Amino acid sequence: MQEAFRKEIETTLRESRAEWEKRLQAIQADRRRRGGALEQDFEEQAVQRENDDTLDALDTRGRQELREIDAALDRLSKGSFGRCGKCGKTISNDRLRAEPTAETCVACATRA
């Protein structure tokens, strides 16, 4: 893998990681009711609780993104980044630019 491309991907992954960390902090703050306790109005409480489900889903997705980013950064540091985890072939640069956390080539991803 060319060093310039490696650095480009590493920068992209680190920026994405920082973005997700920021989002997760905001989600956690909202879940802790940064604005205070639930409203006294039962209808308003229902709306707030509905939002909790959405926040939980976003939190789960964000944590999964962080795991995938960390795994990609680990592969970069070990020198295995850009190799398909199923067939061992090289993952195209276009695929890695579009999805830097990709662990499989397009052919293997399509079969899965």
Side-chain angles (χ1 to χ4, degrees):
M1 174 181 304
Q2 295 176 341
E3 186 61 22
F5 181 68
R6 185 194 169 292
K7 285 182 179 183
E8 172 190 336
I9 292 297
E10 183 175 7
T11 298
T12 298
L13 287 167
R14 291 196 185 282
E15 288 172 353
S16 182
R17 188 174 204 304
E19 239 177 76
W20 275 108
E21 285 177 334
K22 184 177 175 182
R23 288 179 190 170
L24 285 171
Q25 287 174 356
I27 290 167
Q28 290 167 6
D30 284 346
R31 286 291 284 135
R32 287 191 301 270
R33 309 251 184 262
R34 177 179 39 194
L38 286 173
E39 296 289 330
Q40 289 188 358
D41 178 28
F42 288 121
E43 287 181 29
E44 187 61 32
Q45 284 181 13
V47 171
Q48 287 176 308
R49 288 195 175 114
E50 284 177 18
N51 290 339
D52 289 349
D53 291 339
T54 302
L55 291 172
D56 289 343
L58 290 171
D59 184 76
T60 298
R61 182 63 194 142
R63 291 183 188 288
Q64 178 62 35
E65 285 289 330
L66 285 179
R67 284 191 292 276
E68 291 174 12
I69 291 166
D70 287 342
L73 288 168
D74 187 54
R75 289 191 304 277
L76 263 175
S77 71
K78 291 180 178 177
S80 59
F81 184 85
R83 290 260 169 229
C84 179
K86 294 196 179 217
C87 70
K89 292 182 181 177
T90 301
I91 301 173
S92 74
N93 287 358
D94 288 341
R95 175 161 170 75
L96 292 171
R97 272 195 184 98
E99 189 178 341
T101 59
E103 295 184 58
T104 57
C105 64
V106 172
C108 288
T110 301
R111 279 179 275 209

